[in-house]
Amino acid sequence: MRDLSDPALRHPEKAHRPETPRLRKPDWIRVKAPASKGYKETRDIVRENKLTTVCEEAGCPNVGECWAQGHATMMIMGEVCTRGCTFCNVATGRPDALDAFEPGRVADAVQKLGLNHVVITSVDRDDLEDGGAEHFARTIRAIRHRAPGTTIEILTPDFLRCPPSALETVVAAKPDVFNHNLETVPGLYTEVRPGARYFHSLRLLQRVKEIDPEIFTKSGLMAGLGETREQVLQVMDDMRSADVDFLTIGQYLQPTSRHHVVDRYIPPEEFAAYEQAAWGKGFLMVSATPLTRSSYHAGEDFERLRDNRLKKLAGA
């Protein structure tokens, strides 16, 4: 069995990549190490239920803040991904078989944590015919049963090699928010997301709205990979053409010296300009800061998202 704490074994697909020095983080991107009582309580519940979280696997800088409030983003279908994106710190390789009891354990943890809003994500599972769509649906249904008052946000793979029924299965389970991240501009896909296709991901988000217009759609970008402002603004336009409701933009952080290099650290005022531009393009909700991540403040943002839709409908 591989030791996933060893970067060389965790990312064998990156072994051929040259090591690159990591840029020193500016003050605005620094966070304190987690040490609060709430953080430890959340960690214990995650451990007791034998769950994987993207907070840990992806090395999220906000883990201390979020876990202190009892908010953890559950990562289902294992901790090994079939893709090898150059930005991602999740382990790459051949995953284990799905755990049929995982949806129940996730639902139990959601109930114990008393979550009003939960985010469920996953690794890519290109080894499965449906990409794990039914497992997502079972997890959603289990949470609805154990914690009926909890709103559910999912962050899914692209189901690139799956039949159309895979996406239909997930949408039929009625998550409140369907998130799929475009991650970067199309010109960087061959380097940053070599196993993905930009226009497929964009079409996936559009298709969700066509199947069920009531579901909120959400997508995110990383800044600092080498994109230009003009390219980011074009992606915003593409998202709005696909009727995406919610946009997140955050700073890319390089996990190891063999991951994609940080082109530059974007200052807070540039993120504020991106946010202003996105509001002007008609998104219902926008979060653009250096520390923004897909699930950062997801519960509070969902409330604002829902309120903004109601206001828009009232003014129509």
Side-chain angles (χ1 to χ4, degrees):
M1 181 177 291
R2 287 192 295 162
D3 178 5
L4 297 184
S5 64
D6 182 341
L9 297 178
R10 187 178 182 84
H11 303 291
E13 82 289 353
K14 295 179 176 64
H16 70 284
R17 294 176 61 87
E19 293 196 41
T20 55
R22 284 185 275 184
L23 295 178
R24 179 178 174 81
K25 293 178 182 177
D27 291 340
W28 65 77
I29 206 76
R30 296 177 183 275
V31 294
K32 294 181 179 179
S36 69
K37 179 182 177 182
Y39 168 85
K40 294 174 182 176
E41 290 174 349
T42 300
R43 181 193 60 192
D44 290 345
I45 291 174
V46 168
R47 299 286 184 273
E48 288 168 8
N49 287 272
K50 300 179 181 178
L51 300 175
T52 302
T53 69
V54 75
C55 319
E56 296 174 293
E57 296 301 317
C60 180
N62 303 316
V63 63
E65 178 185 346
C66 294
W67 283 27
Q69 301 171 29
H71 299 159
T73 298
M74 315 297 179
M75 190 168 79
I76 60 176
M77 298 193 283
E79 58 184 341
V80 178
C81 185
T82 55
R83 303 276 177 94
C85 298
T86 61
F87 68 87
C88 186
N89 198 39
V90 174
T92 302
R94 179 179 295 177
D96 294 330
L98 292 180
D99 179 354
F101 298 101
E102 183 177 54
R105 292 201 308 274
V106 170
D108 188 50
V110 169
Q111 184 185 48
K112 287 179 180 177
L113 289 166
L115 299 182
N116 294 321
H117 186 82
V118 65
V119 181
I120 307 296
T121 188
S122 79
V123 291
D124 275 283
R125 291 297 302 257
D126 294 320
D127 58 313
L128 302 174
E129 184 177 354
D130 72 345
E134 180 58 34
H135 201 76
F136 259 106
R138 289 175 181 171
T139 302
I140 294 168
R141 291 194 293 266
I143 296 170
R144 295 285 188 220
H145 177 70
R146 294 295 298 273
T150 301
T151 49
I152 301 172
E153 179 173 330
I154 58 171
L155 173 54
T156 77
D158 58 14
F159 303 114
L160 180 62
R161 298 170 177 85
C162 304
S165 58
L167 179 62
E168 293 164 5
T169 294
V170 179
V171 175
K174 298 285 289 187
D176 296 283
V177 181
F178 189 109
N179 185 0
H180 173 65
N181 286 333
L182 294 184
E183 305 290 10
T184 189
V185 300
L188 291 176
Y189 258 55
T190 54
E191 168 60 23
V192 176
R193 297 187 72 199
R197 303 292 181 270
Y198 176 80
F199 287 104
H200 171 85
S201 287
L202 194 65
R203 174 61 180 151
L204 183 86
L205 290 160
Q206 184 179 44
R207 183 69 182 132
V208 171
K209 270 296 172 69
E210 290 173 354
I211 299 171
D212 189 341
E214 292 186 0
I215 294 177
F216 290 103
T217 50
K218 178 177 176 179
S219 191
L221 293 172
M222 295 175 291
L225 287 162
E227 73 290 333
T228 66
R229 175 176 171 79
E230 291 72 21
Q231 289 173 323
V232 172
L233 295 178
Q234 181 59 59
V235 172
M236 289 184 192
D237 288 337
D238 291 345
M239 286 186 185
R240 289 303 302 132
S241 295
D243 206 16
V244 172
D245 298 306
F246 188 169
L247 169 66
T248 61
I249 308 178
Q251 173 68 52
Y252 166 63
L253 300 176
Q254 185 178 356
T256 75
S257 60
R258 294 191 187 274
H259 281 74
H260 193 290
V261 67
V262 175
D263 178 69
R264 71 186 183 102
Y265 286 108
I266 313 300
E269 56 267 25
E270 288 191 36
F271 279 102
Y274 277 142
E275 181 169 326
Q276 184 177 13
W279 284 118
K281 291 179 183 294
F283 287 96
L284 286 179
M285 183 64 200
V286 183
S287 177
T289 71
L291 289 174
T292 290
R293 296 296 182 267
S294 293
S295 55
Y296 189 46
H297 295 165
E300 298 94 323
D301 286 347
F302 174 74
E303 294 297 327
R304 292 181 62 192
L305 178 65
R306 189 161 51 184
D307 289 346
N308 288 345
R309 174 187 276 179
L310 292 174
K311 291 175 183 176
K312 182 178 180 180
L313 291 173

